[in-house]
Amino acid sequence: MNPVTVLNFIDGSFVLGRGGATISIYNPATSELIGTAPDSTAHDVDAAVEAAANAFPAWSALSPAQRGANLHRLADLVERDAEAFALAESRDTGKPLSLARSVDIPRAIANLRFFASAVCEQTHEYFSNEHARSIVHRRPLGVAACISPWNLPLYLFTWKIAPALAAGCTVVGKPSEITPITAWMLAQRSIEAGMPRGVFNIVNGRGPLCGAALVAHPRVACITFTGGTVTGESIARAAAPTFKRIALELGGKNPTIVFADSIHGDDLTKTVHGVARAAFTNQGQVCHCGSRILIERSAWERFVPALVARTRGLCVGDPLDGATDIGALISGQHLLRVAAAVDGAVRDGGHLLCGGSRVDPLQLPEQNRAGAFYPPTLIEGLPATAKANQEEIFGPVATLIPFSGESEAVAIANGTRFGLSASVWTSDSDRAHRIAAQLDCGTIWINAWMLRDLRAPIGGMRASGLGREGGQEALHFFAEPVVVVTHEPTQ
Ligand code: NAD
């Protein structure tokens, strides 16, 4: 396929970055150049923010149903072209095409549809007592900056722009510079969907240049960001002087807690599959991946060999092959970071149970030999305080940690600076809920992982973020509650 030329989308038109510089986009499964995108600067950001600010009065004046109808039309077009979106997402990220088809693109469609409908279900809150009658109006904030990462590109981009647009904000989106293609394809569909000019804009470029200019822009009212914790810190600092509202969805070091009662009889297979899926989906590059597997000591002997066998059985290879479970990491550079983290874990005393070094290119199909393939890796023998148990690796790497009893499990689970999510595997539902009540994180799955109801809030505590996305929480983020109070004379 010929490389694509991704452009900025400003005021309803596709434009080059003003400086003319571009960023190359590679397929990490083949190392092939698949496109270029503008390396935008503050000038491009200014133009996009101005377009969004100009479009705001008319867009925010539309009824929720009219805004929702625009989003439904956009969802229809993504659905129509779902296969093209899935292929583009797989090529841009190296993820299995099967995953892009079954998760990324369906979820992007669901995001658009969900917020298109949810905004129509909003009602005015109304309070009345013997003195006063109060009506809460939710007024859209203005221009929303939506900054998204590379691991679930269209899934997370739409998770931000859909509630922003539904709530009545106009948007300047900044997809990851590593994976800008599906957002650009979405912009093309937005024209076909009849989205008014300037309502939805995209600037492409690097974080420290283009992203930082967007965050600092005085006419941006709010920032919703998903990405790394260090970036989140810098965004919080940069946004503070102008009092912009911020929502930060950051990293995780999520525990998967396996109790012995979850592996009796046939349950072993179910639990092993669930735990492996939580650790290795999308090459371990999901912020909710369970990268610390806490195992009750009495379960160790039966559970660990079964988990190792399952992990060794995962098929690493060509993302376009239907049999592939694990595709390529996002880039060769990221592969080096993951490999360095594993080497560091081994130096710290960790013992490799499987994986642990780059996949031998000769074991890969010819077209993938220059790709960034790293096998699913399990490491045991490290204290809970070791670096590999404290820092996010964001790759197909999980550590195994033994525990005895519920309180030790909870102490280890809560013993990092993160607090994004956890999963608990047990056949005892009282225990599951007892543990859930003690875990300091935003989402706890019981005998499950990544099950979602889009009405429920999702987000992290501590270094995993600030604020919640999902449902009414997301719509509320993009609006200022304004209360109008009238005197209610006592009867
Ligand atoms: P990143 O922080 O490097 O980049 C994310 C986005 O921010 C990109 O668009 C990037 O260009 C932009 N950016 C970078 N520096 C910026 C700056 N100074 N100002 C403004 N924008 C800037 O993250 P990444 O490497 O793309 O993604 C991986 C990280 O994202 C992991 O830490 C992962 O845990 C996290 N993540 C979190 C969630 C969640 O919901 N909590 C979901 C997915 C990914």
Side-chain angles (χ1 to χ4, degrees):
M1 274 173 77
N2 290 333
V4 296
T5 305
V6 170
L7 295 170
N8 288 338
F9 184 55
I10 298 177
D11 207 17
S13 300
F14 287 100
V15 288
L16 291 165
R18 277 210 209 157
T22 58
I23 297 170
S24 300
I25 313 162
Y26 296 96
N27 176 345
T30 60
S31 281
E32 165 202 15
L33 179 77
I34 56 170
T36 56
D39 189 3
S40 305
T41 65
H43 294 299
D44 305 296
V45 170
D46 281 346
V49 173
E50 191 186 333
N54 291 341
F56 177 69
W59 179 250
S60 57
L62 293 181
S63 69
Q66 288 169 316
R67 294 196 296 266
N70 269 277
L71 291 174
H72 275 304
R73 283 199 295 276
L74 187 55
D76 290 343
L77 296 173
V78 179
E79 200 158 28
R80 182 194 69 191
D81 300 337
E83 186 58 16
F85 274 97
L87 253 175
E89 205 70 300
S90 172
R91 278 159 50 88
D92 212 1
T93 59
K95 70 174 67 198
L97 176 59
S98 59
L99 189 69
R101 275 184 185 146
S102 60
V103 176
D104 292 75
I105 306 310
R107 176 56 192 276
I109 297 163
N111 290 340
L112 295 166
R113 290 208 192 289
F114 172 78
F115 287 108
S117 300
V119 73
C120 297
E121 286 155 20
Q122 280 191 310
T123 50
H124 282 309
E125 291 148 77
Y126 171 85
F127 306 96
S128 180
N129 62 21
E130 64 274 36
H131 311 297
R133 189 199 312 222
S134 306
I135 302 177
V136 185
H137 296 270
R138 296 207 178 254
R139 212 182 267 173
L141 289 176
V143 178
C146 300
I147 305 176
S148 54
W150 48 256
N151 61 330
L152 299 163
L154 194 67
Y155 173 135
L156 290 173
F157 191 65
T158 50
W159 186 231
K160 297 184 173 306
I161 66 152
L165 294 170
C169 287
T170 51
V171 162
V172 178
K174 202 209 82 64
S176 168
E177 60 274 38
I178 304 173
T179 54
I181 293 179
T182 48
W184 166 69
M185 291 169 67
L186 186 73
Q188 292 170 334
R189 301 322 181 269
S190 78
I191 297 177
E192 200 179 336
M195 190 83 76
R197 273 179 37 198
V199 165
F200 168 47
N201 306 274
I202 295 180
V203 282
N204 289 284
R206 287 172 289 139
L209 191 64
C210 168
L214 185 57
V215 167
H217 201 289
R219 294 181 80 187
V220 165
C222 58
I223 301 157
T224 167
F225 166 80
T226 298
T229 295
V230 172
T231 315
E233 281 172 30
S234 82
I235 288 178
R237 240 178 273 120
T242 45
F243 299 104
K244 293 185 177 86
R245 188 175 293 181
I246 53 172
L248 305 173
E249 298 289 329
L250 310 177
K253 192 71 193 175
N254 312 301
T256 300
I257 308 175
V258 180
F259 284 95
D261 62 13
S262 73
I263 62 163
H264 292 152
D266 292 345
D267 286 351
L268 175 69
T269 308
K270 225 168 41 192
T271 301
V272 162
H273 279 229
V275 170
R277 189 175 150 260
F280 301 124
T281 294
N282 204 37
Q283 302 68 247
Q285 302 167 140
V286 177
C287 52
H288 291 285
C289 273
S291 55
R292 292 183 297 150
I293 305 172
L294 281 49
I295 304 159
E296 194 168 15
R297 279 200 163 81
S298 56
W300 193 275
E301 219 169 286
R302 186 155 191 253
F303 179 77
V304 173
L307 180 65
V308 172
R310 170 69 187 156
T311 305
R312 286 208 172 111
L314 293 171
C315 176
V316 184
D318 186 354
L320 302 182
D321 184 334
T324 294
D325 300 299
I326 309 276
L329 300 191
I330 191 65
S331 64
Q333 207 182 8
H334 189 55
L335 184 145
L336 292 178
R337 276 197 294 267
V338 169
V342 172
D343 293 348
V346 170
R347 274 199 307 279
D348 287 346
H351 171 62
L352 288 167
L353 294 171
C354 55
S357 56
R358 189 179 188 143
V359 174
D360 176 359
L362 293 177
Q363 288 177 1
L364 292 164
E366 207 173 327
Q367 70 276 14
N368 298 118
R369 291 194 179 149
F373 292 89
Y374 199 87
T377 296
L378 293 170
I379 307 171
E380 64 169 353
L382 288 165
T385 50
K387 191 171 175 196
N389 282 324
Q390 293 290 322
E391 296 300 325
E392 189 183 44
I393 297 173
F394 217 56
V397 180
T399 53
L400 309 189
I401 309 170
F403 72 85
S404 304
E406 291 179 16
S407 47
E408 193 184 9
V410 169
I412 297 171
N414 286 340
T416 73
R417 69 189 177 119
F418 297 102
L420 190 59
S421 61
S423 71
V424 182
W425 298 80
T426 173
S427 58
D428 178 343
S429 78
D430 289 344
R431 161 184 272 165
H433 289 282
R434 206 164 45 235
I435 299 280
Q438 299 172 72
L439 291 176
D440 296 331
C441 56
T443 304
I444 297 126
W445 284 286
I446 295 171
N447 299 322
W449 179 72
M450 281 302 268
L451 278 185
R452 288 280 290 123
D453 183 322
L454 302 189
R455 290 170 298 182
I458 192 158
M461 299 181 185
R462 306 194 298 258
S464 290
L466 197 67
R468 291 291 180 272
E469 295 188 306
Q472 294 296 327
E473 302 257 353
L475 291 171
H476 286 181
F477 173 79
F478 293 106
E480 195 73 79
V482 175
V483 184
V484 178
V485 187
T486 49
H487 184 227
E488 183 94 330
T490 316
Q491 314 249 313

